[in-house]
Amino acid sequence: MNRPDSDLEGVHVPGRGVILLSGGLDSAVTLETARKECGEIYALTVRYGQRHALEIECARAIARGAGVREHRILDCDLASWGGSALTGAAPVPKDRESGGDSDIPPTYVPARNTILLSLALAWAEVLEAEAIYIGVHAQDASGYPDTRPAYIESFARMAALATRAGLESRGPAIRAPLLDLSKAGVIRLGRSLGVDFSKTSSCYDPLASGAPCGRCDACRLRRKGFEEVGISDPRREDRSSGPVPERT
């Protein structure tokens, strides 16, 4: 039966797991969580027209380092209709003061997580995977409606109704292991799992060099998280140059 599951304690999902791997910090930590829980990991990265395409290269480096069973990069061009500063010509907001959960930012991509989870669900059904992993977390959601517990629970219910595997009570669990964590909590968990944060990219609008802008919502949340943990960020979320994964 499809079900949401954000509790890290005592979870073991034998067999196969599919993870949505963006190349960002959260998905890298989620991948290491999945590796502890599953026998085989299949990683899915979606090139949806995002301006921060550097994260695709980061996803390649992360998947290669983790030794996943298979890593697929799928094209699904959400930029064709725009509607977001991440996929269109509108500027990415900088130095923005958040208005809280009701403040949905211009970097929201319409229905993105629903589309990405649906793609992962289709692959998981073919693979007969036991779990799908997504690295959303609600406390630092910046107002995104598709990162909340109620959304994950609703998707799990939909998946149970909309797939043959779900109707046969053998559909994958929807795992969001970071759901209740702050960004600092995600970083602490990542340290305990041995995540190499230098391979990850969080910036919505990186410089031509690959260095993070240091001013978008994602950069500011990441910097705040590292400051709260009391360690330096190996990608140095400022305007200085940061490491860029090699291309394959």
Side-chain angles (χ1 to χ4, degrees):
M1 178 179 179
N2 303 72
R3 58 201 181 279
D5 189 350
S6 61
D7 183 7
L8 282 173
E9 295 299 326
V11 173
H12 178 64
V13 184
R16 296 172 171 174
V18 173
I19 178 173
L20 286 167
L21 183 65
S22 70
L25 186 153
D26 299 332
S27 72
V29 176
T30 302
L31 172 58
E32 289 306 312
T33 301
R35 288 181 67 204
K36 288 177 67 69
E37 297 176 0
C38 293
E40 289 184 343
I41 299 297
Y42 294 76
L44 177 62
T45 300
V46 181
R47 186 162 34 215
Y48 59 86
Q50 62 268 53
R51 68 167 69 206
H52 52 308
L54 170 66
E55 69 176 12
I56 305 295
E57 301 304 322
C58 289
R60 283 196 177 102
I62 293 165
R64 184 168 58 246
V68 302
R69 181 71 174 81
E70 185 176 352
H71 180 211
R72 293 200 180 192
I73 299 176
L74 189 65
D75 287 303
C76 181
D77 187 12
L78 304 184
S80 61
W81 51 68
S84 170
L86 293 189
T87 58
V92 171
K94 306 290 174 66
D95 306 313
R96 191 178 76 94
E97 293 300 326
S98 174
D101 288 346
S102 62
D103 178 26
I104 298 177
T107 47
Y108 163 70
V109 179
R112 179 184 63 179
N113 282 349
T114 303
I115 294 167
L116 301 189
L117 276 171
S118 296
L119 293 171
L121 177 62
W123 195 21
E125 186 168 23
V126 171
L127 292 170
E128 297 184 350
E130 282 76 15
I132 295 169
Y133 290 80
I134 182 170
V136 297
H137 57 103
Q139 289 187 344
D140 283 341
S142 300
Y144 296 110
D146 53 1
T147 63
R148 306 173 193 224
Y151 167 75
I152 298 297
E153 293 167 4
S154 295
F155 188 92
R157 289 195 297 270
M158 181 280 296
L161 295 171
T163 62
R164 181 172 63 184
L167 292 176
E168 294 175 353
S169 298
R170 55 181 181 83
I174 309 300
R175 289 280 289 122
L178 313 183
L179 196 59
D180 299 322
L181 299 180
S182 65
K183 184 66 76 175
V186 173
I187 293 168
R188 290 189 185 98
L189 176 60
R191 287 187 77 193
S192 74
L193 294 172
V195 171
D196 183 355
F197 295 120
S198 71
K199 291 182 178 180
T200 68
S201 177
S202 300
C203 183
Y204 289 152
D205 193 23
L207 308 181
S209 66
C213 74
R215 298 171 55 207
C216 68
D217 287 357
C219 280
R220 296 174 73 194
L221 284 170
R222 178 169 172 144
R223 182 168 60 245
K224 180 174 181 286
F226 275 96
E227 288 172 352
E228 289 179 359
V229 175
I231 61 173
S232 60
D233 181 355
R235 276 198 70 86
R236 294 176 298 175
E237 293 286 298
D238 55 24
R239 301 186 75 82
S240 63
S241 178
V244 178
E246 63 184 30
R247 293 179 178 269
T248 57

Coordinates of all heavy atoms in Angstrom, one line a residue, residues 88-155:
G88 N 11.6 30.7 -16.6 CA 11.3 31.8 -17.5 C 12.3 32.9 -17.5 O 13.4 32.8 -16.9
A89 N 11.9 34.1 -18.0 CA 12.8 35.2 -18.1 C 12.8 36.1 -16.9 O 13.6 37.0 -16.8 CB 12.5 36.0 -19.4
A90 N 11.8 35.9 -16.1 CA 11.7 36.8 -14.9 C 12.9 36.6 -14.0 O 13.4 35.5 -13.9 CB 10.4 36.4 -14.1
P91 N 13.3 37.7 -13.4 CA 14.5 37.5 -12.5 C 14.2 36.8 -11.2 O 13.1 36.8 -10.7 CB 14.8 39.0 -12.2 CG 13.6 39.7 -12.3 CD 12.8 39.1 -13.4
V92 N 15.2 36.0 -10.8 CA 15.1 35.3 -9.5 C 15.2 36.4 -8.4 O 16.2 37.2 -8.4 CB 16.3 34.3 -9.3 CG1 16.3 33.7 -7.9 CG2 16.1 33.2 -10.4
P93 N 14.3 36.4 -7.4 CA 14.4 37.4 -6.4 C 15.6 37.2 -5.5 O 16.0 36.1 -5.2 CB 13.1 37.1 -5.5 CG 12.2 36.3 -6.5 CD 13.1 35.6 -7.4
K94 N 16.2 38.4 -5.1 CA 17.4 38.4 -4.3 C 17.1 39.2 -3.0 O 16.3 40.1 -3.0 CB 18.6 39.0 -5.0 CG 18.9 38.4 -6.4 CD 19.4 37.0 -6.2 CE 19.6 36.3 -7.6 NZ 20.6 36.9 -8.4
D95 N 17.7 38.8 -1.9 CA 17.6 39.4 -0.6 C 16.1 39.6 -0.2 O 15.7 40.6 0.3 CB 18.3 40.8 -0.7 CG 19.7 40.7 -1.1 OD1 20.4 39.8 -0.6 OD2 20.1 41.5 -2.0
R96 N 15.3 38.6 -0.5 CA 13.9 38.7 -0.3 C 13.5 38.4 1.2 O 14.1 37.4 1.8 CB 13.2 37.6 -1.2 CG 11.7 37.7 -1.2 CD 11.1 36.7 -2.2 NE 11.1 35.4 -1.6 CZ 10.1 34.8 -1.0 NH1 9.0 35.5 -0.9 NH2 10.2 33.6 -0.5
E97 N 12.6 39.1 1.7 CA 12.1 38.9 3.1 C 10.9 38.0 2.9 O 9.9 38.4 2.3 CB 11.8 40.2 3.8 CG 13.0 41.1 4.1 CD 14.0 40.4 5.0 OE1 13.5 39.6 5.9 OE2 15.2 40.6 4.9
S98 N 10.9 36.8 3.5 CA 9.8 35.9 3.4 C 8.6 36.4 4.1 O 8.7 36.9 5.2 CB 10.2 34.5 4.0 OG 9.1 33.6 4.0
G99 N 7.5 36.2 3.5 CA 6.2 36.6 4.2 C 5.5 35.4 4.9 O 4.4 35.5 5.3
G100 N 6.2 34.3 5.0 CA 5.6 33.1 5.7 C 5.1 32.1 4.7 O 5.2 32.2 3.5
D101 N 4.3 31.2 5.3 CA 3.8 30.0 4.5 C 2.8 30.5 3.4 O 2.6 29.8 2.4 CB 3.1 29.0 5.4 CG 4.1 28.2 6.2 OD1 5.3 28.3 5.9 OD2 3.7 27.6 7.2
S102 N 2.2 31.6 3.6 CA 1.2 32.1 2.6 C 1.9 32.8 1.5 O 1.2 33.2 0.5 CB 0.2 33.0 3.3 OG 0.8 34.2 3.8
D103 N 3.2 33.1 1.6 CA 3.9 33.8 0.6 C 4.5 32.9 -0.4 O 5.6 32.3 -0.1 CB 5.0 34.7 1.3 CG 5.8 35.5 0.3 OD1 5.3 35.7 -0.8 OD2 7.0 35.8 0.6
I104 N 3.9 32.6 -1.5 CA 4.4 31.7 -2.5 C 5.3 32.5 -3.4 O 4.9 33.4 -4.1 CB 3.3 31.0 -3.3 CG1 2.4 30.2 -2.4 CG2 3.8 30.2 -4.4 CD1 1.2 29.5 -3.0
P105 N 6.6 32.2 -3.5 CA 7.6 33.0 -4.2 C 7.5 32.8 -5.7 O 7.0 31.8 -6.2 CB 8.9 32.5 -3.6 CG 8.6 31.1 -3.3 CD 7.2 31.0 -2.8
P106 N 8.1 33.7 -6.4 CA 8.2 33.6 -7.9 C 8.9 32.4 -8.4 O 8.8 32.0 -9.6 CB 8.8 34.9 -8.3 CG 8.6 35.9 -7.2 CD 8.7 35.0 -6.0
T107 N 9.7 31.8 -7.5 CA 10.5 30.6 -7.9 C 9.7 29.3 -7.8 O 10.2 28.3 -8.2 CB 11.8 30.5 -7.1 OG1 11.4 30.7 -5.7 CG2 12.8 31.5 -7.4
Y108 N 8.5 29.4 -7.4 CA 7.6 28.3 -7.4 C 7.4 27.8 -8.9 O 7.0 28.7 -9.7 CB 6.2 28.6 -6.8 CG 5.1 27.6 -7.1 CD1 5.1 26.4 -6.6 CD2 4.1 28.0 -7.9 CE1 4.1 25.5 -6.9 CE2 3.0 27.1 -8.2 CZ 3.1 25.9 -7.7 OH 2.0 25.0 -8.0
V109 N 7.6 26.6 -9.2 CA 7.3 26.0 -10.5 C 6.0 25.3 -10.5 O 5.8 24.3 -9.7 CB 8.4 25.1 -10.9 CG1 8.2 24.5 -12.3 CG2 9.8 25.8 -10.9
P110 N 5.0 25.7 -11.3 CA 3.7 25.1 -11.2 C 3.7 23.6 -11.3 O 4.2 23.0 -12.3 CB 2.9 25.8 -12.4 CG 3.6 27.1 -12.5 CD 5.0 26.9 -12.2
A111 N 3.2 23.0 -10.3 CA 2.9 21.5 -10.2 C 4.2 20.7 -10.3 O 4.2 19.5 -10.6 CB 1.9 21.1 -11.2
R112 N 5.4 21.3 -10.1 CA 6.6 20.6 -10.4 C 6.7 19.3 -9.6 O 7.0 18.2 -10.2 CB 7.8 21.5 -10.0 CG 9.2 20.8 -10.2 CD 10.4 21.6 -9.8 NE 10.3 21.9 -8.4 CZ 11.2 22.6 -7.7 NH1 12.3 23.1 -8.4 NH2 11.1 22.8 -6.4
N113 N 6.6 19.3 -8.3 CA 6.7 18.1 -7.5 C 5.7 17.0 -7.9 O 6.0 15.8 -7.8 CB 6.7 18.4 -6.0 CG 8.0 19.0 -5.5 OD1 9.0 19.0 -6.3 ND2 8.1 19.5 -4.3
T114 N 4.5 17.5 -8.3 CA 3.5 16.5 -8.7 C 4.0 15.8 -10.0 O 3.8 14.6 -10.1 CB 2.2 17.2 -8.9 OG1 1.8 17.8 -7.7 CG2 1.1 16.2 -9.3
I115 N 4.5 16.6 -10.9 CA 5.0 16.0 -12.1 C 6.2 15.1 -11.9 O 6.3 13.9 -12.4 CB 5.4 17.1 -13.1 CG1 4.2 17.9 -13.6 CG2 6.2 16.6 -14.3 CD1 4.5 19.2 -14.3
L116 N 7.2 15.5 -11.0 CA 8.4 14.7 -10.8 C 8.0 13.4 -10.0 O 8.5 12.4 -10.3 CB 9.4 15.5 -9.9 CG 9.9 16.9 -10.5 CD1 11.0 17.4 -9.7 CD2 10.3 16.7 -12.0
L117 N 7.1 13.5 -9.0 CA 6.7 12.3 -8.3 C 6.0 11.4 -9.2 O 6.1 10.2 -9.1 CB 5.9 12.7 -7.1 CG 6.6 13.1 -5.8 CD1 5.7 13.7 -4.8 CD2 7.4 11.9 -5.2
S118 N 5.2 11.9 -10.1 CA 4.5 11.0 -11.1 C 5.4 10.3 -12.0 O 5.2 9.1 -12.2 CB 3.5 11.9 -11.9 OG 2.5 12.4 -11.1
L119 N 6.5 11.0 -12.4 CA 7.5 10.3 -13.2 C 8.2 9.2 -12.4 O 8.4 8.1 -12.9 CB 8.5 11.3 -13.8 CG 8.0 12.3 -14.8 CD1 9.0 13.4 -15.0 CD2 7.6 11.6 -16.1
A120 N 8.5 9.5 -11.2 CA 9.2 8.5 -10.3 C 8.2 7.4 -10.0 O 8.6 6.2 -9.9 CB 9.6 9.2 -9.0
L121 N 6.9 7.7 -9.9 CA 5.9 6.6 -9.6 C 5.8 5.6 -10.8 O 5.8 4.4 -10.6 CB 4.6 7.3 -9.3 CG 3.4 6.3 -9.1 CD1 3.6 5.5 -7.8 CD2 2.1 7.1 -8.9
A122 N 5.9 6.2 -12.0 CA 5.8 5.3 -13.2 C 7.0 4.4 -13.2 O 6.9 3.2 -13.5 CB 5.7 6.2 -14.4
W123 N 8.2 4.9 -13.0 CA 9.4 4.1 -13.0 C 9.4 3.1 -11.9 O 9.7 1.9 -12.1 CB 10.6 5.0 -13.0 CG 11.9 4.3 -13.4 CD1 12.0 3.2 -14.1 CD2 13.2 4.7 -13.0 NE1 13.4 2.9 -14.3 CE2 14.1 3.8 -13.6 CE3 13.8 5.8 -12.3 CZ2 15.5 3.9 -13.5 CZ3 15.1 5.9 -12.2 CH2 16.0 5.0 -12.8
A124 N 9.0 3.6 -10.7 CA 8.9 2.6 -9.6 C 8.0 1.5 -9.8 O 8.3 0.3 -9.4 CB 8.5 3.4 -8.3
E125 N 6.9 1.7 -10.5 CA 5.9 0.6 -10.8 C 6.6 -0.4 -11.7 O 6.4 -1.6 -11.5 CB 4.6 1.2 -11.4 CG 3.6 0.1 -11.5 CD 2.2 0.6 -11.8 OE1 2.1 1.8 -12.3 OE2 1.2 -0.1 -11.5
V126 N 7.3 0.1 -12.7 CA 7.9 -0.8 -13.7 C 9.0 -1.6 -12.9 O 9.2 -2.8 -13.2 CB 8.5 0.0 -14.8 CG1 9.4 -0.9 -15.7 CG2 7.4 0.6 -15.7
L127 N 9.7 -1.0 -12.1 CA 10.8 -1.6 -11.3 C 10.3 -2.5 -10.2 O 11.1 -3.3 -9.6 CB 11.8 -0.6 -10.7 CG 12.6 0.2 -11.7 CD1 13.3 1.4 -10.9 CD2 13.6 -0.6 -12.4
E128 N 9.0 -2.4 -9.9 CA 8.5 -3.0 -8.7 C 9.2 -2.6 -7.4 O 9.5 -3.4 -6.5 CB 8.5 -4.5 -8.8 CG 7.6 -5.0 -10.0 CD 7.5 -6.5 -10.1 OE1 8.3 -7.2 -9.4 OE2 6.7 -7.0 -10.9
A129 N 9.5 -1.3 -7.4 CA 10.2 -0.7 -6.2 C 9.3 -0.6 -5.0 O 8.1 -0.5 -5.1 CB 10.8 0.7 -6.6
E130 N 9.9 -0.7 -3.9 CA 9.2 -0.6 -2.6 C 9.0 0.8 -2.1 O 8.2 1.0 -1.2 CB 9.9 -1.5 -1.5 CG 9.6 -3.0 -1.7 CD 10.4 -3.6 -2.8 OE1 11.4 -3.0 -3.3 OE2 10.1 -4.8 -3.2
A131 N 9.8 1.7 -2.6 CA 9.8 3.1 -2.0 C 10.2 4.1 -3.1 O 11.0 3.8 -3.9 CB 10.6 3.2 -0.8
I132 N 9.6 5.3 -3.0 CA 10.0 6.5 -3.7 C 10.5 7.5 -2.7 O 9.8 7.8 -1.7 CB 8.9 7.1 -4.6 CG1 8.4 6.1 -5.6 CG2 9.3 8.4 -5.2 CD1 7.1 6.5 -6.3
Y133 N 11.6 8.1 -2.9 CA 12.2 9.1 -2.0 C 12.2 10.5 -2.6 O 12.6 10.7 -3.8 CB 13.6 8.7 -1.6 CG 13.7 7.5 -0.8 CD1 13.7 6.2 -1.3 CD2 13.9 7.6 0.6 CE1 13.8 5.1 -0.5 CE2 14.0 6.5 1.4 CZ 14.0 5.2 0.8 OH 14.1 4.1 1.6
I134 N 11.8 11.5 -1.8 CA 11.8 12.9 -2.2 C 12.3 13.7 -1.1 O 12.0 13.5 0.1 CB 10.4 13.4 -2.7 CG1 10.5 14.8 -3.2 CG2 9.4 13.2 -1.6 CD1 9.3 15.3 -3.9
G135 N 13.2 14.7 -1.4 CA 13.9 15.4 -0.3 C 13.2 16.7 0.1 O 13.9 17.7 0.4
V136 N 11.9 16.7 0.2 CA 11.2 18.0 0.6 C 11.3 18.1 2.2 O 11.3 17.0 2.9 CB 9.8 18.0 0.2 CG1 9.7 18.0 -1.3 CG2 9.0 16.8 0.7
H137 N 11.3 19.3 2.7 CA 11.1 19.5 4.1 C 10.3 20.8 4.3 O 10.6 21.8 3.7 CB 12.4 19.5 4.8 CG 13.4 20.5 4.4 ND1 13.7 21.7 5.1 CD2 14.3 20.5 3.3 CE1 14.6 22.4 4.5 NE2 15.0 21.7 3.4
A138 N 9.3 20.6 5.2 CA 8.3 21.7 5.3 C 8.8 22.9 6.1 O 8.4 24.0 5.8 CB 7.1 21.1 6.1
Q139 N 9.7 22.8 7.1 CA 10.1 23.9 7.9 C 10.8 25.0 7.1 O 10.7 26.2 7.5 CB 10.9 23.5 9.1 CG 10.1 22.7 10.1 CD 10.9 22.4 11.3 OE1 12.1 22.5 11.4 NE2 10.2 22.0 12.4
D140 N 11.5 24.7 6.1 CA 12.2 25.7 5.3 C 11.6 25.7 3.9 O 12.3 25.9 2.9 CB 13.7 25.4 5.2 CG 14.4 25.7 6.4 OD1 13.9 26.5 7.2 OD2 15.5 25.3 6.7
A141 N 10.3 25.6 3.8 CA 9.6 25.4 2.5 C 9.5 26.7 1.7 O 9.2 26.7 0.5 CB 8.2 24.8 2.7
S142 N 9.7 27.9 2.3 CA 9.6 29.1 1.7 C 8.3 29.3 1.0 O 8.2 30.0 0.0 CB 10.8 29.3 0.6 OG 12.0 29.2 1.2
G143 N 7.3 28.7 1.5 CA 5.9 28.9 1.0 C 5.5 28.0 -0.2 O 4.5 28.2 -0.7
Y144 N 6.3 27.0 -0.5 CA 6.0 26.1 -1.6 C 4.9 25.2 -1.2 O 5.1 24.4 -0.2 CB 7.2 25.4 -2.1 CG 8.3 26.2 -2.7 CD1 9.5 26.4 -2.0 CD2 8.1 26.9 -3.9 CE1 10.5 27.3 -2.5 CE2 9.1 27.7 -4.4 CZ 10.3 27.9 -3.7 OH 11.3 28.7 -4.2
P145 N 3.8 25.1 -1.9 CA 2.7 24.3 -1.5 C 2.9 22.8 -1.7 O 2.2 22.0 -1.0 CB 1.5 24.8 -2.4 CG 2.2 25.3 -3.6 CD 3.5 26.0 -3.1
D146 N 3.9 22.4 -2.5 CA 4.1 21.0 -2.8 C 5.3 20.4 -2.0 O 5.9 19.5 -2.5 CB 4.3 20.8 -4.3 CG 5.4 21.7 -4.9 OD1 6.0 22.5 -4.2 OD2 5.6 21.6 -6.1
T147 N 5.5 21.0 -0.8 CA 6.6 20.5 0.0 C 6.0 20.1 1.4 O 6.8 19.8 2.3 CB 7.7 21.5 0.2 OG1 7.3 22.6 0.9 CG2 8.4 21.8 -1.1
R148 N 4.7 20.2 1.6 CA 4.1 20.1 2.9 C 3.6 18.7 3.2 O 3.3 17.9 2.3 CB 2.9 21.1 3.0 CG 3.3 22.5 2.6 CD 2.1 23.4 2.5 NE 2.5 24.7 1.8 CZ 2.2 25.9 2.3 NH1 1.4 26.0 3.3 NH2 2.6 27.0 1.6
P149 N 3.5 18.3 4.5 CA 3.1 17.0 4.8 C 1.7 16.6 4.2 O 1.6 15.5 3.7 CB 3.0 17.1 6.4 CG 4.0 18.1 6.8 CD 3.9 19.1 5.7
A150 N 0.8 17.5 4.2 CA -0.5 17.2 3.6 C -0.4 16.9 2.1 O -1.2 16.0 1.6 CB -1.5 18.4 3.8
Y151 N 0.5 17.5 1.4 CA 0.7 17.2 0.0 C 1.2 15.8 -0.2 O 0.8 15.1 -1.0 CB 1.6 18.3 -0.6 CG 2.1 17.8 -2.0 CD1 1.2 17.9 -3.1 CD2 3.4 17.3 -2.2 CE1 1.6 17.4 -4.3 CE2 3.8 16.9 -3.4 CZ 2.9 16.9 -4.5 OH 3.3 16.5 -5.7
I152 N 2.3 15.5 0.6 CA 2.9 14.1 0.5 C 1.8 13.1 0.8 O 1.7 12.0 0.1 CB 4.1 14.0 1.4 CG1 5.2 15.0 1.0 CG2 4.6 12.6 1.4 CD1 5.8 14.8 -0.4
E153 N 1.1 13.3 1.8 CA 0.0 12.3 2.2 C -1.0 12.2 1.1 O -1.5 11.1 0.8 CB -0.7 12.8 3.5 CG 0.3 12.7 4.7 CD -0.3 13.4 5.9 OE1 -1.5 13.9 5.8 OE2 0.4 13.5 6.9
S154 N -1.4 13.3 0.5 CA -2.4 13.3 -0.6 C -1.8 12.5 -1.8 O -2.6 11.8 -2.5 CB -2.8 14.7 -1.0 OG -3.5 15.3 0.1
F155 N -0.6 12.8 -2.2 CA 0.0 12.1 -3.3 C 0.1 10.6 -3.1 O -0.2 9.8 -4.0 CB 1.4 12.6 -3.6 CG 2.0 12.1 -4.9 CD1 1.8 12.8 -6.1 CD2 2.6 10.9 -5.0 CE1 2.2 12.2 -7.3 CE2 3.1 10.3 -6.1 CZ 2.9 11.0 -7.3

